Amino acid sequence: MHRRHFLGASLVAGFAALGLRGCGMPRPLRFGIHPWIGYESLYLAEEFGWLPASVELVKGASALDSMELLKSGKLDGAGLTLDEAIRVHVESPELLVVGVTDVSVGADVLVAKRGIRNLDQLRGKRIAVELAGVSGTLLLNVLDQAGIEWDEVTVVDVPVDKYVGLWKRGEVDAIACYEPTASILLGLGGVRLFDSSQLPETIFDVLVVTRKFAAMVPDAVRALLEAHFSGLRHLVRNQHDSVYRVATRQGISPMDVRLALASVMFPDLASNRRYLAKDGRVEQVARSLSRMLAREGLVHRPLGVDRFSDNDFLPRSVA
């Protein structure tokens, strides 16, 4: 189970959306999303009628669904974490980051047993992590920051839904995870040893499109980003209404939604321009991250493109 998966939504509606359209109608941008607070802007845009006909949302249960459909050519873009975007890009199709929906400021957490008081004490310990997800990125950054080599810890690669059981049975010393799992583990006696607030502007959720589609139908990409900012405006300015809409859609409690909102930062248009600029923060992090992933054998090569992000598709202004 990949990052940002509270409760799985049905795939039926999403896969049905991949069917053929009527003859003569131009094909829209087929964009994959799944339940996560960073992508709620697009769910809200669809709900309020702000999503144009040139964009079609394909709704899956997790990022894995979007990644597989991108690789098979059935999607033109998706909402992914930056590390997930890199994983798809190096296997094909080549992607372009055109928007940043949120930046983790505490949503991603390394929870440890109470006896572990600092990162240096992780040496020789068993750490549970889902390597294929964003928690793997968190752990790579933690070990790198602490100067701990990969072979100095025992990595237990398991999906997120196994974490609580492992913790209760005492089979691991620490777990790299994200909300709401982090709060569950903290409630079971764990301590917050490290979180993404200590990795400023490093863990991003992004909107990506294939380079081929961006070159062929740039207006549809611009329409997607306009819809995102329309939905984001409602999410931020009408939070009480949004919390209950999100909770109802995802089948979770309003408290869980508020917890998610508090653990991320939503970049505005100006911040998006800065993040996505040539050699901006997204490209800097992507290059560094791809090298780390390649070094540990999690991807077969680092990024090999001059540009991995582009701010040219962003709207000129938003209300």
Side-chain angles (χ1 to χ4, degrees):
M1 182 166 61
H2 273 239
R3 146 94 150 180
R4 320 317 195 197
H5 181 193
F6 287 145
L7 294 178
S10 169
L11 296 182
V12 175
F15 291 144
L18 296 177
L20 295 175
R21 299 175 64 83
C23 294
M25 294 181 66
R27 183 175 67 75
L29 166 58
R30 299 171 299 194
F31 197 84
I33 58 173
H34 59 277
W36 168 242
I37 198 67
Y39 311 135
E40 278 298 330
S41 58
L42 291 173
Y43 285 99
L44 289 169
E46 182 181 56
E47 191 171 342
F48 284 103
W50 301 326
L51 194 73
S54 58
V55 178
E56 185 175 327
L57 298 184
V58 179
K59 300 161 190 171
S62 72
L64 182 60
D65 298 317
S66 294
M67 293 169 76
E68 292 304 317
L69 290 173
L70 274 169
K71 291 175 187 177
S72 68
K74 294 179 180 177
L75 288 181
D76 307 301
L80 300 173
T81 55
L82 188 57
D83 66 291
E84 290 164 348
I86 292 169
R87 293 168 198 268
V88 173
H89 177 90
V90 298
E91 293 184 28
S92 80
E94 291 196 344
L95 302 177
L96 192 63
V97 179
V98 295
V100 177
T101 65
D102 68 86
V103 185
S104 180
V105 290
D108 299 276
V109 185
L110 182 66
V111 179
K113 288 182 176 179
R114 288 193 178 277
I116 301 174
R117 299 182 182 87
N118 56 63
L119 296 180
D120 194 59
Q121 291 179 311
L122 290 172
R123 285 185 172 84
K125 299 297 191 293
R126 291 172 58 83
I127 306 174
V129 62
E130 185 180 47
L131 285 176
V134 73
S135 294
T137 299
L138 176 72
L139 183 58
L140 283 171
N141 276 283
V142 168
L143 297 181
D144 190 61
Q145 192 167 117
I148 298 174
E149 297 297 328
W150 196 252
D151 59 5
E152 291 184 277
V153 297
T154 299
V155 175
V156 182
D157 185 11
V158 292
V160 177
D161 56 5
K162 304 295 184 184
Y163 286 176
V164 174
L166 284 173
W167 186 266
K168 287 181 175 178
R169 293 191 299 272
E171 295 179 14
V172 293
D173 303 294
I175 295 180
C177 58
Y178 46 84
E179 294 292 1
T181 303
S183 290
I184 295 172
L185 297 176
L186 293 172
L188 292 172
V191 295
R192 184 183 290 257
L193 189 64
F194 190 96
D195 67 39
S196 52
S197 66
Q198 296 163 265
L199 292 170
E201 298 186 326
T202 298
I203 297 181
F204 296 96
D205 281 284
V206 296
L207 304 179
V208 300
V209 293
T210 66
R211 289 170 180 263
K212 180 179 179 180
F213 190 91
M216 291 175 56
V217 197
D219 286 346
V221 180
R222 295 187 181 98
L224 169 77
L225 291 163
E226 289 176 0
H228 158 67
F229 282 108
S230 294
L232 181 61
R233 181 177 61 244
H234 185 85
L235 183 64
V236 172
R237 296 183 183 176
N238 300 277
Q239 196 166 114
H240 183 75
D241 175 73
S242 297
V243 162
Y244 286 92
R245 289 179 185 273
V246 174
T248 299
R249 177 169 30 255
Q250 295 193 13
I252 58 177
S253 72
M255 181 61 72
D256 281 337
V257 178
R258 293 190 182 96
L259 187 64
L261 285 167
S263 64
V264 298
M265 182 272 288
F266 298 110
D268 59 13
L269 180 59
S271 297
N272 261 267
R273 287 201 181 101
R274 175 171 58 86
Y275 283 141
L276 300 173
K278 181 175 174 57
D279 297 321
R281 184 61 182 171
V282 165
E283 290 194 343
Q284 292 171 17
V285 172
R287 293 190 189 108
S288 174
L289 180 55
S290 74
R291 288 193 295 268
M292 280 196 289
L293 292 170
R295 184 186 68 210
E296 303 302 338
L298 299 176
V299 296
H300 66 268
R301 63 174 175 83
L303 288 174
V305 291
D306 290 334
R307 293 295 307 272
F308 192 55
S309 65
D310 193 337
N311 60 13
D312 286 345
F313 298 93
L314 293 169
R316 292 184 178 179
S317 63
V318 293

